[in-house]
């Protein structure tokens, strides 16, 4: 009788263990969650300057880093501008690891509520260059994006300095509303061009 009871107990234990193992079995593979807004690769930033009076020659400064951060050093042009000239400036962002190149600027414009460029003028160019935003997002109130700006160079002698361009990505977009100095959000790209005022 004791042996029969022991067999029943053992059978009940094995049945429970089998149910437990079956319950833990993963019948369906679990897919990793999709990234909601994957960060784009920006290999190239082209800053194009056009004299609003149509007198001074246009200028272009290009940052290019085709293998991304940590690889070969990027190439950075000098931004050459004329004293006393007001330029309309546009920024083009590209991912040139793709063929054809992916124009990231379109996504920044479409997602303007969560993007903003910040500009800092340094060295001898500080106080000589004034930047005014020309584009805005669709927020209420609208806030600057920075793909299009006006760069005014005051009259004076030749000098050199720096022009830093930083693109911030705000998630959630409400962070952009509360960021008044460019310290919040993720940095999508940070480029400092040497400047020559001629």
């Amino acid at each position: 009788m004791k042996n029969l009871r022991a067999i029943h107990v053992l059978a009940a234990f094995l049945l429970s263990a089998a149910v437990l193992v079956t319950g833990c079995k993963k019948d369906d593979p679990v897919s990793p969650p999709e990234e909601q807004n994957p960060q784009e690769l920006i290999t190239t930033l082209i800053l194009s300057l056009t004299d609003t009076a149509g007198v001074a020659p246009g200028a272009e400064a290009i940052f290019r880093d085709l293998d991304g951060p940590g690889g070969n050093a990027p190439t950075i042009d000098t931004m050459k501008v004329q004293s006393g000239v007001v330029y309309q400036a546009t920024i083009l962002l590209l991912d040139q690891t793709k063929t054809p190149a992916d124009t990231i600027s379109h996504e920044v414009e479409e997602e303007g509520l969560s993007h903003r460029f910040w500009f800092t003028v340094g060295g001898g160019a500080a106080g000589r260059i004034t930047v005014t935003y020309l584009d805005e997002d669709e927020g209420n109130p609208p806030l600057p994006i920075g793909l299009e700006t006006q760069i005014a160079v005051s009259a004076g002698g030749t000098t050199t300095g720096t022009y830093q361009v930083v693109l911030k990505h705000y998630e959630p977009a409400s962070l952009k509303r509360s960021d008044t100095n460019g310290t919040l959000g993720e940095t999508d790209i940070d480029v400092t061009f040497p400047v020559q005022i001629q």
Side-chain angles (χ1 to χ4, degrees), residues 17-85:
V19 170
L20 185 61
V21 169
T22 302
C24 293
K25 183 180 179 182
K26 295 180 181 178
D27 294 326
D28 300 319
V30 177
S31 301
E34 291 185 14
E35 196 172 350
Q36 293 297 315
N37 197 356
Q39 189 170 20
E40 300 291 345
L41 177 62
I42 301 173
T43 63
T44 307
L45 187 156
I46 302 175
L47 176 64
S48 299
L49 305 173
T50 304
D51 177 11
T52 56
V55 177
E60 196 172 77
I62 301 175
F63 162 88
R64 185 173 283 123
D65 188 6
L66 296 181
D67 58 1
N72 295 321
T75 59
I76 305 176
D77 292 345
T78 296
M79 175 178 153
K80 298 178 181 178
V81 293
Q82 304 284 327
S83 293
V85 173

Side-chain angles (χ1 to χ4, degrees), residues 1-11:
M1 189 66 178
K2 285 184 178 178
N3 288 340
L4 185 58
R5 181 177 294 174
I7 291 173
H8 285 167
V9 170
L10 178 61

Side-chain angles (χ1 to χ4, degrees), residues 3-193:
N3 288 340
L4 185 58
R5 181 177 294 174
I7 291 173
H8 285 167
V9 170
L10 178 61
F13 172 77
L14 292 175
L15 180 60
S16 299
V19 170
L20 185 61
V21 169
T22 302
C24 293
K25 183 180 179 182
K26 295 180 181 178
D27 294 326
D28 300 319
V30 177
S31 301
E34 291 185 14
E35 196 172 350
Q36 293 297 315
N37 197 356
Q39 189 170 20
E40 300 291 345
L41 177 62
I42 301 173
T43 63
T44 307
L45 187 156
I46 302 175
L47 176 64
S48 299
L49 305 173
T50 304
D51 177 11
T52 56
V55 177
E60 196 172 77
I62 301 175
F63 162 88
R64 185 173 283 123
D65 188 6
L66 296 181
D67 58 1
N72 295 321
T75 59
I76 305 176
D77 292 345
T78 296
M79 175 178 153
K80 298 178 181 178
V81 293
Q82 304 284 327
S83 293
V85 173
V86 177
Y87 295 92
Q88 180 167 344
T90 59
I91 291 176
L92 178 64
L93 302 174
L94 300 173
D95 176 2
Q96 292 188 305
T97 63
K98 298 179 180 177
T99 305
D102 190 7
T103 305
I104 307 300
S105 306
H106 294 159
E107 296 174 34
V108 171
E109 184 176 14
E110 291 168 2
E111 300 173 3
L113 289 171
S114 58
H115 287 90
R116 177 172 177 170
F117 283 94
W118 295 87
F119 306 97
T120 304
V121 183
R128 296 284 308 279
I129 291 178
T130 303
V131 183
T132 304
Y133 291 90
L134 298 180
D135 55 357
E136 297 177 327
D137 63 27
E138 297 178 344
N140 184 21
L143 294 176
I145 298 175
L147 286 168
E148 296 183 13
T149 57
Q150 183 182 79
I151 295 178
V153 185
S154 65
T158 60
T159 188
T160 59
T162 57
Y163 187 74
Q164 184 183 21
V165 181
V166 178
L167 174 60
K168 286 288 187 174
H169 185 171
Y170 299 96
E171 289 290 343
S174 58
L175 283 178
K176 181 177 178 180
R177 306 284 126 187
S178 57
D179 191 2
T180 58
N181 54 15
T183 58
L184 302 178
E186 292 185 22
T187 300
D188 283 345
I189 189 167
D190 183 346
V191 177
T192 299
F193 291 99

